[in-house]
Amino acid sequence: MWRMPSETAQHTRTWMAFPREGFTLGSDESEREAGYAAWTAVAHAILPFEPVSMVVDPTEIARARRMLDSSIEIVEAPLDEFWMRDIGPTFVVDDERPGTLGAVDWIFNGWGAPAWAEWTKSAHIARVVGEHVGAEIISSTLVAEGGGLQVDGAGTVLLTDTVQLDPRRNPFADRFRVEAEMNRTIGSSQAIWLSRGLTRDYDEFGTNGHVDIVATFASPDRVLLHAQRDPAHPDAEVSALLRGELERAFETLGRSVEITDLPAPSTLRDDVGFVDWSYVNHLVVNGGVIACGFGEVEADAQARAILSDAYPGRTVVTVDARELFARGGGIHCITQQQPAVPLVA
């Protein structure tokens, strides 16, 4: 039976996708250069902890080789979007077949096929990556993205109604059907449904409520929750709502789970509207945590301290994520871990 390991389990590598010119990267040279630099900075922050493989569109090969450390594996494949968490495979293992790696190939339609999105090339990347590493491809009929689910590695998955049941994604789905597919593909036995995500995520260019920006499992008995504490921001109400939903869900399951706040930075708005800056959108790597930074010394330090406590024994490294969030996501959104495969049952 397939099982998606916790992000804290040992990794073989982290997968990313290099930006390419287009709507997401930016409309002028300055914006484009900032985007390339942001993706590159995350890749280089991961390297001291584990290998990085980068999918690169043929039009960007020369730039990628120039900007990226030579130790980063480059896999050439056509791209139009480059949020690897969403376009790439969700890796799983089979505890009954030691040495077996699986790659779930969700259907990707650009977060609900909005008019602005270009996604038909990237819809094939999960299979490209899975075949590259010799994984068994697990085809799914569910429209889903890796950023729309979080697991504890022990059978529990966090989901949001507004993503999994989005009529632009899965018009005929209900919770029962989604849970059955999660059980088949990633081995979840319990689903905790949250009603929504952060406010910014419902804008024209949002994902409609990805869970990986609001909550994540640090361990099976600890959840990290985005906490907006300024009542002037609409996510203050969202944070309170989600805390209540998590508390009730774990109580119903009879589980004692600590819910730890990860306070949002103090910045409330950018030139578009209310920000969705979140420290929850970090990546756990071998021996480390790659954390989002927002140029706020005190808030970034507080987040590092909380993450250090939540992931004992790991070094927390902060990377400025403002250019990522300006394009619609964070560090977790642009990465995908490939778990190490147990060789002994």
Side-chain angles (χ1 to χ4, degrees), residues 47-119:
L47 271 183
F49 300 97
E50 61 190 64
V52 175
S53 292
M54 186 79 70
V55 177
V56 183
D57 186 84
T59 63
E60 297 287 359
I61 290 291
R63 188 191 306 270
R65 294 194 187 281
R66 183 172 71 250
M67 295 187 69
L68 297 174
D69 187 273
S70 60
S71 68
I72 294 176
E73 178 191 26
I74 290 179
V75 177
E76 184 175 339
L79 287 172
D80 34 28
E81 276 294 352
F82 33 89
W83 303 93
M84 183 54 81
R85 181 69 49 175
D86 297 343
I87 67 173
T90 296
F91 287 108
V92 291
V93 299
D94 187 339
D95 295 326
E96 297 177 355
R97 293 186 294 160
T100 303
L101 179 69
V104 181
D105 180 15
W106 311 106
I107 294 174
F108 178 69
N109 74 346
W111 310 279
W116 58 266
E118 297 178 335
W119 50 269

Side-chain angles (χ1 to χ4, degrees), residues 117-193:
E118 297 178 335
W119 50 269
T120 55
K121 293 178 181 178
S122 293
H124 302 288
I125 294 302
R127 188 169 292 270
V128 168
V129 170
E131 291 175 350
H132 181 79
V133 299
E136 290 188 22
I137 306 298
I138 305 158
S139 295
S140 176
T141 57
L142 193 70
V143 177
E145 306 94 33
L149 57 96
Q150 294 276 47
V151 302
D152 66 354
T156 302
V157 59
L158 295 176
L159 305 167
T160 52
D161 286 325
T162 55
V163 169
Q164 310 302 333
L165 307 183
D166 182 353
R168 303 170 305 164
R169 288 173 164 101
N170 300 299
F172 306 110
D174 56 22
R175 286 185 173 187
F176 180 83
R177 289 183 173 90
V178 171
E179 290 181 21
E181 184 66 349
M182 291 292 165
N183 176 267
R184 184 185 76 86
T185 55
I186 66 170
S188 61
S189 55
Q190 294 179 335
I192 292 177
W193 289 86

